[in-house]
Amino acid sequence: EDSLAMAYAKKEELQAKLTKELFDIGNALVTYQQNKIRSKELEEKIKSGQKGLDSLKTNKSLTQNLSKDKLKDKLAAVKKKEEDSKQRLKSSEADSIKTKEEIKKHRELLEKND
């Protein structure tokens, strides 16, 4: 009976160890599944973040291009105004010379009539 009691105690001890190991395995599986889910969530967040970052880069690039285009347009407008001013100045100078010549001719005519 002693050996029967010892065998029964050993069986209980082994059964307790087996139960503990099964719980540990179960807990490890649950943790693994949770980590797998978290990993997928993080991958989605990373993809979403990358899309956002790409979008920001695109927007920044577009903004810089728009700014460059605006500056080019302003520079072109300034150059056009400058060219227009030069043309008006030349035109005014030509008109002035013409007017001076007309005045000179009128004076000469007046002097001849006197």
Side-chain angles (χ1 to χ4, degrees), residues 6-58:
M6 283 178 60
Y8 184 75
K10 189 70 172 171
K11 176 189 165 234
E12 290 292 320
E13 180 185 330
L14 289 174
Q15 199 167 12
K17 281 184 179 178
L18 181 61
T19 302
K20 184 187 179 309
E21 286 182 18
L22 285 174
F23 273 116
D24 289 346
I25 290 170
N27 286 337
L29 283 172
V30 168
T31 301
Y32 172 77
Q33 290 296 332
Q34 288 173 340
N35 286 343
K36 203 170 167 183
I37 291 169
R38 280 193 204 118
S39 177
K40 283 187 179 183
E41 289 172 351
L42 287 174
E43 284 177 16
E44 290 302 315
K45 284 183 180 179
I46 288 171
K47 284 180 187 175
S48 173
Q50 187 61 45
K51 285 179 186 174
L53 185 60
D54 291 344
S55 176
L56 284 175
K57 286 180 181 176
T58 300

Side-chain angles (χ1 to χ4, degrees), residues 4-5 12 21 38-39 49 53 58 65 67-69 75 81 104 107:
L4 189 59
E12 290 292 320
E21 286 182 18
R38 280 193 204 118
S39 177
L53 185 60
T58 300
N65 288 341
S67 295
K68 287 178 186 174
D69 288 345
L75 181 61
K81 283 182 181 178
K104 188 176 178 184
R107 278 190 186 153

Side-chain angles (χ1 to χ4, degrees), residues 72-112:
K72 286 179 184 176
D73 290 347
K74 286 183 179 180
L75 181 61
V78 167
K79 285 184 177 180
K80 186 174 180 348
K81 283 182 181 178
E82 183 180 14
E83 191 60 36
D84 290 348
S85 293
K86 284 180 182 177
Q87 290 299 326
R88 281 196 305 273
L89 181 62
K90 284 181 183 177
S91 178
S92 292
E93 286 174 349
D95 287 346
S96 176
I97 291 171
K98 201 178 200 184
T99 304
K100 285 180 182 177
E101 288 174 0
E102 287 177 6
I103 291 172
K104 188 176 178 184
K105 284 180 186 176
H106 282 286
R107 278 190 186 153
E108 288 173 359
L109 285 173
L110 285 174
E111 286 175 6
K112 282 184 183 179

